[in-house]
Amino acid sequence: MTATKHAAGLVVVRRIAGEWHFLVLRAYRNWDFPKGLIEPGEDCFTAALREATEETGLSALQFPWGDAHRETVPYAKGKIARFYVALAPSGEVVLSVSPELGRPEHHEFRWLRFEAAHELLPPRLTPILAWANELIGHP
């Protein structure tokens, strides 16, 4: 039996023109939130922040909802991802070149309202999106 792999990430939100938008990233045909595997000795929250910063270039993230989090159901051979919600009041998303890959990890990013994000994200992430939407107080 294989050990469960644990990942951590952020549901990054921003108000644009008075409406909440969610940051989603695309790698090939797959849409996701910024996330990655937890490194040895790293706690989930630190890993989530590190991965989001590496993948998006956003560094001025705020956590008005504290360390509230939700986890995905197991996927991809038992991997579980824990997500926190972060506010990005400013800053441009930059898809930097990953040193390991020699290219950006993601091909595209979008800031989307809830409905549009719900349409793009895979079913394993729709409960995370719905939870984050409720947490930020969006009906």
Side-chain angles (χ1 to χ4, degrees):
M1 179 157 171
T2 17
T4 301
K5 287 187 179 182
H6 291 275
L10 299 179
V11 178
V12 181
V13 297
R14 174 178 280 175
R15 288 185 76 71
I16 300 172
E19 293 187 90
W20 285 111
H21 286 68
F22 298 83
L23 177 62
V24 295
L25 306 174
R26 181 180 64 81
Y28 300 98
R29 283 190 255 172
N30 305 309
W31 289 92
D32 207 337
F33 296 119
K35 71 157 182 8
L37 293 177
I38 300 167
E39 294 180 355
E42 192 174 41
D43 66 72
C44 288
F45 186 83
T46 302
L49 185 56
R50 176 185 52 77
E51 285 289 342
T53 301
E54 286 174 4
E55 293 181 1
T56 69
L58 294 171
S59 59
L61 297 170
Q62 300 172 6
F63 295 88
W65 303 280
D67 62 357
H69 61 271
R70 286 292 184 275
E71 292 183 344
T72 62
V73 296
Y75 68 99
K77 299 180 184 174
K79 185 192 293 186
I80 296 172
R82 175 179 291 186
F83 288 95
Y84 303 86
V85 179
L87 174 65
S90 62
E92 294 298 317
V93 175
V94 176
L95 302 178
S96 300
V97 173
S98 161
E100 296 85 21
L101 300 174
R103 61 169 172 75
E105 190 171 336
H106 296 93
H107 301 90
E108 179 182 1
F109 74 89
R110 293 183 190 174
W111 288 102
L112 299 173
R113 292 192 327 244
F114 174 82
E115 298 79 11
H118 190 274
E119 287 180 23
L120 280 183
L121 290 168
R124 71 178 163 81
L125 291 176
T126 54
I128 303 297
L129 175 67
W131 161 76
N133 194 51
E134 185 177 313
L135 187 67
I136 65 176
H138 187 255

